[in-house]
Amino acid sequence: MVKKAVLYGPNGQTIDSATLEGSQAAPTQSGVRAISKDNQAKGLTPEKLAGILKKAVEGDAGAYLTLAYDMEERYLHYASQLQTRRLAFDGIPATITTPKGVSTKIIDAVNELVEGFGFRDACMDLTDGQGKGFAVIEPRWEYEGKLLRPIEYSFRDPRFFTVDKINHADLRLLTDDNREGIPLDPAAFVVHKPRTRAGLPLRVGLARPAAWGFLIQSFALQDWAAFCEIYGIPFRLGKYPQQASESDKRNLLRAVRDFANDAAAIVPAGTEIIFHSVTGNQGQQVFGGLLGYIDRQISKLVVGQTMTADEGSSLSQAKIHNEVRLDILRADCRQMAATINRDLVRFFVSMNFGPQDNYPQVEFPVTEPEDIKALAESLSKTVPLGLRVSQREIREKFGLSEPQKDEEILVAPKAAEAVEKPSEKEQDAKLSLRHGTGCLCRSCAGSARLAAEDPDKDKDDIDHLADDMLADWEEITDPLLESLFALAAECSSFDEVLARLDSLRLDSGPLRERLAKAMAISRGIGDVKDF
């Protein structure tokens, strides 16, 4: 007899391997877990809906969950908005964060789990809980590559489960032998309970408040459809004389009805038929306005805004409303990560490597939309001034990866080749012919050489000199303005500052020295250019 390995959960409890074999919540041909073919949306009335919601709160949620499915099939706007919210999560990639002390082997195993077959689809199936209040996935575990891992994730119909009759929060699996359900084995199921707000799972699902909107729009659509049947056909009113017989009355009624089909009829002499016209925009104003209002409320409920769901009045307003949706997306991703880490990652690590003090964490980070053009323009101005920026952070914002060693890398275009310049000796000889051996002219010659080596052809030597002189302007202006700032801080009004300006002793020495140096060098440049 082969001895089975002992499996441990995150808290050190032993796990019966038999619970991981086969399936506990698979559908059956008959019984409490048979695929339901019921329909609750047909003939829905306010009284019936109130009864369905009341039973759901009491723990009998079968009708409520069936209605939630019906709404996603019949209420197109609700289905669209719910799908938009679910697909928004699907666009967020999963990442792994590793606390200190976690071995590389465990980290690699969790990465394989997240990147493995079926994981992403399982996460998407769990988002079904946003509408119904909860969603359940049953993984099928088998040894593969020397590790016990899920090889299949099966979505289980929420109608296969019920809630605890006492706390109305813990899920239980329905069986034919126990209609109150049996407790779920935490190692065998992944249970996601989105918290759109505080409360019990069956009361926080989006389908519960949306059900009233579904009921109202159903009645409005029926009435509008009936209105459209007679739109364009005048309303007919037949009048018969008091002495008319029952046969005359029947003939008049038949004639009025015939006008709706072929617009032709015969009536006895003296019979009067009056046609009342119907204004078409009345239907749009009444029924269309009501349906539009209900749809806007559903958009607010599901995605938190209406501007990106329907026609927005401006791009700026749409951007503001989109921020609200990002807040909801962050919450959805955070709650999904908590479910995956609690019910899947921790058990996967514990059953393969034993209980750990720290476990790798799966996250679904939502990044802020960036104006890449504005960011690039800002960096082009601030980095040359000395701002230190992390390349890794900028690559993440641009969505670029770290270049590999053998990859071809994009670089800035080479500056235009500078024109061939005379040697330093030639420049000095030229200067000596013009001014002798004066040291001032040699400084000018050195400045001219630096200017000639500048690859920027759009600037002349004086422009470069001005740039050099102003490179450290703060060191010159700070001593000059220090006394002025101190005076302004002491005074209580502008007039008081003006009155005390004559008493200031400004330190203009650095400024005078810099101006004298600039004038001397500029004169030397002029001498070289004019030679």
Side-chain angles (χ1 to χ4, degrees):
M1 179 178 180
V2 179
K3 184 178 180 181
K4 294 185 178 180
V6 179
L7 303 177
Y8 294 95
N11 298 327
Q13 75 275 22
T14 58
I15 297 176
D16 185 4
S17 59
T19 62
L20 305 179
E21 298 175 356
S23 176
Q24 299 183 38
T28 56
Q29 186 173 2
S30 60
V32 294
R33 293 208 302 273
I35 300 298
S36 175
K37 299 181 177 61
D38 293 340
N39 185 298
Q40 297 295 333
K42 184 178 181 180
L44 187 65
T45 63
E47 295 78 10
K48 181 179 178 181
L49 176 58
I52 290 175
L53 298 180
K54 181 180 179 181
K55 286 184 178 180
V57 173
E58 295 172 351
D60 184 7
Y64 165 70
L65 295 173
T66 300
L67 177 62
Y69 276 118
D70 294 341
M71 288 168 53
E72 294 180 25
E73 294 177 355
R74 296 191 176 204
Y75 192 3
L76 301 184
H77 186 78
Y78 171 71
S80 171
Q81 295 302 284
L82 195 60
Q83 185 75 346
T84 297
R85 181 164 172 176
R86 296 179 64 186
L87 291 178
F89 165 78
D90 191 43
I92 307 300
T95 61
I96 308 296
T97 58
T98 55
K100 293 183 178 180
V102 180
S103 69
T104 305
K105 186 180 295 185
I106 294 178
I107 296 173
D108 293 340
V110 173
N111 273 292
E112 292 179 3
L113 173 71
V114 171
E115 296 174 1
F117 173 77
F119 173 81
R120 195 68 200 190
D121 292 337
C123 292
M124 274 299 293
D125 289 341
L126 290 175
T127 61
D128 184 68
Q130 294 172 356
K132 303 172 181 63
F134 68 91
V136 181
I137 292 292
E138 185 177 13
R140 185 160 67 91
W141 297 81
E142 286 189 10
Y143 279 98
E144 187 178 84
K146 298 182 180 180
L147 291 177
L148 183 63
R149 67 180 76 224
I151 63 169
E152 183 182 4
Y153 300 88
S154 298
F155 174 77
R156 295 311 181 194
D157 194 314
R159 290 169 291 188
F160 294 175
F161 304 87
T162 186
V163 294
D164 185 89
K165 299 301 181 182
I166 298 177
N167 59 27
H168 289 237
D170 297 333
L171 294 184
R172 301 172 70 89
L173 176 64
L174 291 173
T175 64
D176 293 332
D177 300 331
N178 190 340
R179 295 304 177 98
E180 293 187 356
I182 60 176
L184 300 184
D185 191 324
F189 295 95
V190 179
V191 181
H192 184 47
K193 300 177 183 177
R195 293 178 59 84
T196 56
R197 63 182 186 276
L200 302 176
L202 291 175
R203 301 199 69 161
V204 301
L206 298 176
R208 186 178 180 89
W212 293 106
F214 169 67
L215 177 66
I216 296 173
Q217 70 90 34
S218 297
F219 283 127
L221 276 178
Q222 293 176 11
D223 294 339
W224 200 357
F227 176 84
C228 291
E229 287 184 358
I230 61 172
Y231 171 65
I233 301 177
F235 179 75
R236 289 87 59 199
L237 177 63
K239 294 184 178 182
Y240 54 85
Q242 293 183 353
Q243 66 273 17
S245 64
E246 292 298 325
S247 176
D248 294 336
K249 295 178 182 179
R250 288 193 297 269
N251 291 333
L252 176 61
L253 178 61
R254 183 166 54 251
V256 171
R257 289 176 175 174
D258 288 343
F259 271 114
N261 296 325
D262 52 19
I266 59 175
V267 296
T271 302
E272 182 181 7
I273 298 179
I274 302 175
F275 295 88
H276 293 278
S277 62
V278 180
T279 304
N281 58 8
Q282 293 177 354
Q284 175 64 35
Q285 293 175 355
V286 178
F287 302 110
L290 178 59
L291 290 173
Y293 171 79
I294 295 299
D295 286 348
R296 287 192 296 272
Q297 306 315 305
I298 293 298
S299 296
K300 295 175 185 178
L301 171 69
V302 180
V303 297
Q305 46 84 23
T306 61
M307 201 64 66
T308 60
D310 301 293
E311 293 183 0
S313 58
S314 68
L315 177 61
S316 60
Q317 289 181 345
K319 289 182 178 179
I320 294 174
H321 281 250
N322 193 51
E323 296 298 323
V324 180
R325 178 179 169 182
L326 285 176
D327 292 339
I328 295 177
L329 179 58
R330 291 190 195 96
D332 291 344
C333 292
R334 178 181 54 80
Q335 294 174 18
M336 181 64 70
T339 297
I340 295 299
N341 290 321
R342 182 194 66 227
D343 292 349
L344 185 62
V345 173
R346 289 169 62 88
F347 279 94
F348 169 74
V349 173
S350 300
M351 289 190 296
N352 287 285
F353 304 97
Q356 306 291 318
D357 294 332
N358 296 304
Y359 293 86
Q361 299 292 310
V362 175
E363 294 182 354
F364 300 92
V366 179
T367 58
E368 292 282 352
E370 294 283 351
D371 188 342
I372 302 301
K373 181 179 179 181
L375 178 61
E377 292 177 351
S378 176
L379 291 175
S380 66
K381 297 178 181 179
T382 55
V383 171
L385 295 177
L387 178 66
R388 301 180 63 188
V389 181
S390 169
Q391 289 189 7
R392 177 187 57 79
E393 183 177 355
I394 298 302
R395 284 196 183 94
E396 290 178 355
K397 291 183 178 294
F398 277 83
L400 302 175
S401 61
E402 182 74 21
Q404 303 299 320
K405 293 182 179 180
D406 299 334
E407 288 183 330
E408 185 177 356
I409 300 176
L410 294 176
V411 296
K414 294 182 179 180
E417 294 292 338
V419 296
E420 185 177 354
K421 302 174 290 296
S423 64
E424 184 176 354
K425 291 183 178 181
E426 292 175 345
Q427 291 188 42
D428 292 343
K430 184 177 181 180
L431 291 174
S432 64
L433 292 174
R434 181 68 174 86
H435 297 288
T437 57
C439 61
L440 175 61
C441 296
R442 291 183 181 275
S443 299
C444 295
S447 176
R449 285 196 300 272
L450 293 176
E453 292 172 0
D454 196 313
D456 191 352
K457 294 183 178 181
D458 296 333
K459 291 185 177 181
D460 58 17
D461 294 335
I462 298 299
D463 293 330
H464 287 290
L465 175 61
D467 293 340
D468 293 340
M469 294 295 104
L470 294 176
D472 54 348
W473 59 270
E474 295 94 342
E475 299 179 4
I476 301 174
T477 57
D478 288 350
L480 183 64
L481 300 177
E482 183 177 356
S483 300
L484 179 60
F485 291 153
L487 174 62
E490 296 173 0
C491 297
S492 59
S493 66
F494 180 72
D495 294 336
E496 185 179 354
V497 173
L498 291 178
R500 296 178 55 181
L501 280 179
D502 294 337
S503 62
L504 285 180
R505 294 294 182 265
L506 301 179
D507 184 9
S508 60
L511 178 59
R512 293 197 303 270
E513 180 181 352
R514 181 60 59 88
L515 290 175
K517 183 179 179 180
M519 291 179 63
I521 296 177
S522 61
R523 181 172 181 177
I525 294 175
D527 291 341
V528 173
K529 291 292 186 180
D530 294 338
F531 180 75

